[in-house]
Amino acid sequence: MMNFLRWGMAIAFSMATIDWVLGAKISVSTPSTPSLSLEVQSTGQYYYAGYILLRKAGHSAIGVDGRRSRLVCFRGFVEGDRIVNATRVLPPYQPDSRWESETGMMVDLSRYQQVGQPDEDQLRALQKCLDVFSR
């Protein structure tokens, strides 16, 4: 065990030295554990690369989909990592706006990576969607 710790410390020191000398960022890949599907994760806000921002509560999700030229608000159900049986509304997000229902899968979130924090504009867009579906 002691040799293993020394070996690990030597590698860490060597990598830090290489990083310092070369000015490069070195990352060590570690075996990843399977991530939990969105369905079993707690109520909260989730942000995915490609710009899908949603608020999940139980098995329901309301969000904004920015993968297209216009932002689209949606409300659907979470099954695993998928949003299914969704209702979408296109801007300007009024009662007389264009509403679409989509039976089956709307988006498979396992194809997108969860990323850090959305910016202020994205948060405002999500809030508009939450407001639309709360009417």
Side-chain angles (χ1 to χ4, degrees), residues 24-45:
K25 296 290 181 199
I26 298 173
S27 62
V28 178
S29 60
T30 57
S32 61
T33 57
S35 61
L36 297 174
S37 73
L38 180 60
E39 183 175 12
V40 298
Q41 293 187 38
S42 62
T43 294
Q45 184 172 288

Side-chain angles (χ1 to χ4, degrees), residues 38-92:
L38 180 60
E39 183 175 12
V40 298
Q41 293 187 38
S42 62
T43 294
Q45 184 172 288
Y46 296 89
Y47 181 46
Y48 294 86
Y51 186 15
I52 299 173
L53 178 58
L54 61 90
R55 173 93 176 139
K56 175 194 177 282
H59 290 282
S60 297
I62 295 175
V64 60
D65 184 349
R67 297 174 297 157
R68 296 174 177 83
S69 60
R70 294 192 300 176
L71 298 178
V72 176
C73 290
F74 67 87
R75 177 179 58 197
F77 297 97
V78 179
E79 287 184 0
D81 277 327
R82 299 174 301 150
I83 304 296
V84 299
N85 301 331
T87 300
R88 295 185 292 196
V89 62
L90 303 173

